[in-house]
Amino acid sequence: MSVGQRLADEAARYASMGWMRGTSGNLSVVLQRDPLRLAVTASGLDKGELTESDHVEVDADGQPVSDGVPSAEAGLHARIAAVSGAGAVVHVHAMAPVLAAERWPGGVELCDLEMLKGFGRAAHDDLVTIPVIRNGQDMRVLGDAFERGYRADTPALIVARHGVYVWGDDLRQARHRLECLEWLLRFILESGRDPR
């Protein structure tokens, strides 16, 4: 299956979950490392209706190197891929991460929850802190904030009042991590308990 079709299929899945409403959210896949090139979903399109050709190739700064207009956040995707070594980055506007960041703006702590294993961490005695950064429109500024708080064992970043970025070796691993993280965040919000 082509990269474009994989991006379209994943975007349709997230749109059906209500995590990519309207034209929001974006996905990327690393095409090559040296120089860094990513395929990123195109800007301004309904993510539930993408076709195989609705993506743009971008460079390490998120600038297009093929026809089309990439997501405005392509630069942050590229920074995350460069720093983390991820093969895919997903960005959605699920409600739970945004609400969690509102409640815990210094970082969202998770511990002693079985679903942490699906996120790539231990189920017990492993304090996981999901970094939260302030929103903005300059992807270099957001990238710098991401890099300052980056931990190799925590494949996620919440942008306050915006959404969440999760990454993995490929789109499938990134999706599994995102689904688990969304469950974890919903649990701590809905249970009303301290995350620890």
Side-chain angles (χ1 to χ4, degrees):
M1 184 183 304
S2 72
V3 168
Q5 192 60 56
R6 284 185 283 138
L7 288 168
D9 290 350
E10 285 298 300
R13 177 190 295 264
Y14 293 135
S16 73
M17 298 169 82
W19 292 355
M20 291 182 124
R21 297 176 186 272
T23 63
S24 70
N26 34 74
L27 311 174
S28 66
V29 172
V30 173
L31 300 172
Q32 67 181 49
R33 288 273 167 208
D34 190 17
L36 184 64
R37 295 286 186 266
L38 293 85
V40 181
T41 50
S43 180
L45 301 176
D46 186 319
K47 298 310 185 295
E49 300 175 353
L50 295 182
T51 68
E52 182 177 10
S53 61
D54 291 329
H55 65 281
V56 180
E57 186 174 335
V58 301
D59 64 17
D61 296 317
Q63 296 303 306
V65 295
S66 69
D67 291 338
V69 179
S71 161
E73 292 142 344
L76 186 52
H77 280 254
R79 180 77 78 89
I80 290 169
V83 171
S84 71
V89 180
V90 299
H91 168 52
V92 300
H93 292 188
M95 186 66 72
V98 178
L99 290 174
E102 195 77 4
R103 186 161 174 196
W104 298 287
V108 182
E109 294 183 342
L110 302 163
C111 191
D112 295 333
L113 293 161
E114 191 71 19
M115 194 66 85
L116 281 165
K117 291 193 297 189
F119 184 64
R121 298 291 293 269
H124 300 287
D125 302 321
D126 182 14
L127 178 61
V128 178
T129 302
I130 309 302
V132 175
I133 64 172
R134 292 182 60 184
N135 193 21
Q137 301 308 304
D138 186 328
M139 292 307 114
R140 284 173 294 190
V141 172
L142 292 183
D144 291 346
F146 151 71
E147 203 163 342
R148 281 192 300 275
Y150 171 71
R151 285 186 47 157
D153 60 358
T154 305
L157 169 71
I158 301 173
V159 180
R161 300 190 172 194
H162 183 137
V164 65
Y165 290 78
V166 178
W167 50 92
D169 293 338
D170 54 29
L171 283 171
R172 187 170 189 226
Q173 185 181 55
R175 179 198 336 137
H176 290 168
R177 288 174 169 176
L178 173 59
E179 289 173 346
C180 291
L181 178 60
E182 195 270 347
W183 185 97
L184 289 158
L185 297 175
R186 282 184 57 201
F187 173 79
I188 62 170
L189 288 163
E190 293 179 25
S191 68
R193 69 186 277 261
D194 186 288
R196 289 201 271 175

